[in-house]
């Protein structure tokens, strides 16, 4: 079974785009590989400043990952900052990557340009070294990532190759894989843009923790078009097609088949809202159950943290020995 590593930053609440686009695949894929899911809070620290926020978001995200169906006995769910090996190996990664390589990372160039005149942490610059540590610590064969993360996987491979060349075979070379395409959920108010927390208004974003009445309202107000014909046509009818895609993802019926059963937008919006409510209802119930039972949530997380720690400790030790650092006394 391949070792698969996915990581997610604890920033913002989980929305329907995250869920149908990625999390449902995490859940269905948990038996297909030896999967590790890291909640990478230290990466979020590169731009998060308010005290306490990250810890709270980490707890909430962990509860959500279990609520959507990750089974701690099967998938290893862990918190990055709880496994000290991440930051320790990150330093070694920083000494294995060059200033020039880090300077060429497009994500750093974009993010630092956006923050011009603002505080730009050195962590934002060395971010790929920490990410390389996340990946190499777990001997990951596969890292499912979107296009925006490809360069980070490339630099991780380059670092691993350089390290192995300098110090001898130590790290497994990971490869980026395209995750099985989940549903591409678009913003309900701007159906040509992906549903994303960076949208201007919240009205087009359906959060898994929204109340039923809020979900109903968001679907009722979803932007469609004025020709009044229900048809699945992403290019010319993005709003209607998005509703059909969401309804399809929630019910398992193909979007084209669904299109034939509707003649008006109103009932399509209503049924899509209802289907989403039916989908998120048990998730919300489980989420709140775990948030109200922190002992149980901690128990579930400890299972993953412990497994992650065992693997990470061995890899860091291997790296120390390869470099020839003085053996620990
Ligand atoms: N940089 C990734 C993102 O922004 C998050 C991440 C951190 C990650 N460490 C990782 C992804 C390791 C995959 C593997 O989405």
């Amino acid at each position: 079974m391949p070792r698969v590593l996915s990581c997610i930053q604890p920033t913002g609440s989980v929305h329907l785009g995250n869920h149908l686009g990625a999390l449902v695949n995490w859940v269905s894929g948990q038996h297909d590989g030896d999967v590790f899911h890291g909640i990478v809070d230290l990466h979020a620290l590169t731009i998060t400043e308010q005290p306490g926020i990250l810890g709270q978001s980490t707890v909430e995200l962990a509860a959500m990952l279990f609520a959507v169906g990750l089974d701690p006995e099967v998938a290893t769910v862990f918190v990055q900052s709880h496994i000290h090996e991440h930051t320790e190996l990150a330093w070694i990664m920083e000494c294995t990557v060059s200033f020039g390589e880090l300077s060429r990372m497009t994500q750093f160039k974009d993010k630092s340009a956006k923050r011009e005149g603002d505080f730009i942490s050195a962590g934002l610059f060395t971010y790929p070294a920490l990410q390389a540590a996340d990946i190499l610590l777990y001997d990951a064969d596969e890292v499912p990532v979107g296009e925006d993360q490809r360069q980070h996987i490339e630099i991780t491979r380059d670092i691993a190759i350089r390290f192995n060349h300098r110090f001898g075979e130590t790290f497994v070379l990971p490869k980026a894989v395209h995750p099985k395409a989940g549903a591409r959920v678009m913003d309900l108010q701007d159906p040509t843009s992906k549903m994303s927390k960076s949208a201007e208004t919240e009205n087009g974003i359906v959060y898994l923790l929204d109340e039923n009445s809020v979900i109903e309202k968001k679907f009722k107000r979803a932007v469609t078009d004025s020709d009044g014909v229900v048809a699945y046509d992403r290019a010319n009818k993005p709003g209607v097609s998005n509703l059909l895609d969401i309804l399809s993802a929630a019910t398992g019926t193909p979007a084209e088949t669904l299109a034939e059963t509707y003649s008006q937008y109103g009932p399509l919006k209503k049924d899509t809202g209802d289907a989403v409510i039916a989908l998120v209802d048990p998730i919300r119930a489980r989420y709140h159950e775990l948030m109200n039972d922190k002992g149980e949530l901690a128990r579930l997380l400890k299972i993953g943290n412990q497994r992650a720690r065992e693997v990470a400790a061995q890899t860091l030790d291997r790296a120390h020995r390869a470099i020839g650092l003085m053996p620990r006394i």
Side-chain angles (χ1 to χ4, degrees):
M1 278 213 292
R3 173 72 59 75
V4 184
L5 174 83
S6 305
C7 294
I8 181 168
Q9 295 194 40
T11 46
S13 314
V14 174
H15 56 66
L16 199 59
N18 304 133
H19 182 58
L20 296 177
L23 297 185
V24 289
N25 288 340
W26 288 19
V27 174
S28 63
Q30 63 186 326
H31 296 280
D32 304 337
D34 181 13
V35 300
F36 280 62
H37 293 296
I39 300 177
V40 287
D41 50 351
L42 297 175
H43 273 106
L45 197 60
T46 53
I47 47 172
T48 305
E49 285 144 24
Q50 295 121 298
I53 300 268
L54 262 183
Q56 180 62 20
S57 318
T58 301
V59 171
E60 290 170 3
L61 181 56
M64 189 53 90
L65 293 182
F66 295 127
V68 298
L70 286 178
D71 175 352
E73 301 289 351
V74 178
T76 302
V77 178
F78 66 92
V79 177
Q80 184 189 35
S81 68
H82 293 183
I83 318 293
H84 60 76
E85 285 82 359
H86 285 255
T87 43
E88 292 182 35
L89 186 63
W91 176 256
I92 294 174
M93 301 288 101
E94 284 177 43
C95 297
T96 313
V97 70
S98 74
F99 183 83
E101 283 170 312
L102 291 177
S103 309
R104 286 192 288 277
M105 302 307 286
T106 53
Q107 184 172 299
F108 171 71
K109 289 196 260 186
D110 292 349
K111 286 196 178 172
S112 54
K114 275 201 198 116
R115 299 175 72 79
E116 221 196 291
D118 213 345
F119 182 78
I120 298 170
S121 70
L124 199 59
F125 184 68
T126 58
Y127 181 116
L130 179 59
Q131 182 159 349
D134 297 341
I135 297 170
L136 299 181
L137 268 181
Y138 297 102
D139 292 334
D141 301 299
E142 297 178 2
V143 187
V145 284
E147 226 15 79
D148 65 319
Q149 291 298 314
R150 284 208 157 253
Q151 207 186 14
H152 285 158
I153 311 304
E154 271 315 304
I155 201 171
T156 300
R157 285 178 65 90
D158 293 343
I159 293 173
I161 290 169
R162 185 173 300 140
F163 187 100
N164 287 350
H165 179 73
R166 276 188 191 159
F167 302 116
E169 274 317 300
T170 306
F171 296 121
V172 171
L173 290 191
K175 67 169 185 288
V177 294
H178 276 306
K180 196 167 75 193
R184 201 171 144 77
V185 178
M186 312 304 274
D187 189 290
L188 298 185
Q189 288 301 312
D190 174 13
T192 55
S193 305
K194 238 174 104 171
M195 188 176 285
S196 147
K197 54 200 164 207
S198 50
E200 268 167 37
T201 120
E202 300 266 286
N203 297 337
I205 310 170
V206 178
Y207 292 104
L208 263 47
L209 296 175
D210 277 345
E211 303 266 345
N212 288 352
S213 59
V214 173
I215 298 180
E216 269 168 25
K217 209 184 311 162
K218 285 177 175 172
F219 277 100
K220 209 169 181 179
R221 294 187 183 157
V223 166
T224 50
D225 53 51
S226 56
D227 62 32
V229 182
V230 177
Y232 187 69
D233 178 349
R234 274 240 167 229
N236 298 307
K237 297 176 68 66
V240 173
S241 303
N242 187 36
L243 292 172
L244 289 166
D245 270 332
I246 295 171
L247 184 57
S248 167
T251 59
T253 311
E256 287 85 355
T257 312
L258 290 168
E260 288 164 15
T261 62
Y262 290 92
S263 54
Q264 285 176 312
Y265 295 164
L268 171 63
K269 289 180 176 182
K270 165 101 180 62
D271 288 359
T272 307
D274 287 349
V276 168
I277 289 169
L279 181 78
V280 301
D281 210 41
I283 296 174
R284 278 181 314 205
R286 179 67 180 140
Y287 172 86
H288 290 303
E289 209 172 84
L290 285 173
M291 289 300 283
N292 288 324
D293 186 353
K294 293 282 161 47
E296 174 63 4
L297 179 57
R299 185 184 73 81
L300 300 182
L301 255 186
K302 269 187 194 160
I303 299 172
N305 275 355
Q306 196 171 345
R307 169 112 204 279
R309 209 169 274 134
E310 277 163 20
V311 177
Q314 286 182 21
T315 314
L316 181 68
D317 199 47
R318 213 161 66 219
H320 276 208
R321 277 188 280 115
I323 297 170
L325 294 177
M326 179 182 163
R328 288 206 182 99
I329 46 175

